[in-house]
Amino acid sequence: MNIKVILLIAFLITTSSLNSVHVFADAKPVQDNEINNKESTNHHKDPIPFKNLYNKIYSGKATLEHVKQALNSDDTTKLVNTMHALYAMRLNRGAYNLMYDMWELKNTEETDINWKIIGEPPVRIALASTINRIDGVKSRELREYIRSFKYNDDEKLRGQVLVALGLNGDPADVPYIVEMANSNNRYLTQIGVSSLAFMGNGTAKKALIAMANKHYDTPRGKLVIDVLKRAYNVVPTATQPETVSN
């Protein structure tokens, strides 16, 4: 599991109590044999638990039918989770085509997934982020859609924007993410700091170092320092950032 995923999971576990929309954050995926045993026992008569469907999708081992079952949920959080997890299914032609169909809202043939919620933010923001990371052809349209919610009154939508922009990794979005990370909104601060870690580029690293020095010896500063150390192997002091020796 790469550092982006580790930080995403660690961060979202700490903020789940805020009733935010977040990526599913299990510390350990359910093993395939456990999933298969449960499915065999059910003989496919009962719905497969979402956790099992998510693990299959996140690991890239799901079938198109598994993806559709997950997308049939009426839970916005689960659908957001699924959209982010679909990145692992990018080499599956059926899942790849379905992602584009969902973006274009071509719901004439697929009646067994929840088109109503899929057509609304924040699910659509998560979908836009995933397609943007897979295929650069639509990047401008997708990024513009995500950015159109940057100052939405709903903080949960802004939280999803921060996650999406962080995963997209465009240095042009660093000033906005820093703005949110420096805000007085604890929820957006935490997501903003983590999103700078997701980006994994020099611009984001410099922004985090500046934040660490600005907020040194405060709870916000301690969060930034911890994220810097894990994401960029840097420990800033009040006056001078230092590289951690391996």
Side-chain angles (χ1 to χ4, degrees), residues 156-188:
K156 289 190 285 189
L157 286 184
R158 279 183 283 158
Q160 276 302 307
V161 168
L162 288 169
V163 171
L165 295 179
L167 291 173
N168 289 351
D170 188 340
D173 293 309
V174 169
Y176 167 75
I177 298 175
V178 169
E179 178 186 348
M180 295 297 106
N182 277 322
S183 73
N184 293 325
N185 185 313
R186 177 174 172 268
Y187 169 59
L188 295 178

Side-chain angles (χ1 to χ4, degrees), residues 63-114:
T63 65
L64 185 58
E65 184 58 34
H66 291 140
V67 172
K68 291 178 182 178
Q69 286 183 53
L71 293 171
N72 192 40
S73 175
D74 59 1
D75 185 307
T76 299
T77 298
K78 291 179 179 179
L79 289 176
V80 167
N81 296 339
T82 301
M83 294 305 175
H84 284 298
L86 281 172
Y87 180 74
M89 297 292 295
R90 60 193 179 278
L91 299 181
N92 180 299
R93 179 55 58 180
Y96 178 89
N97 290 336
L98 181 56
M99 280 186 267
Y100 275 88
D101 286 346
M102 287 189 292
W103 178 250
E104 301 294 342
L105 296 176
K106 295 180 179 178
N107 59 353
T108 54
E109 297 181 3
E110 301 293 347
T111 59
D112 54 346
I113 65 178
N114 196 330

Side-chain angles (χ1 to χ4, degrees), residues 39-53:
E39 292 176 8
S40 298
T41 302
N42 290 336
H43 300 292
H44 301 285
K45 292 181 181 179
D46 298 326
I48 301 172
F50 177 78
K51 182 186 293 186
N52 296 7
L53 291 171

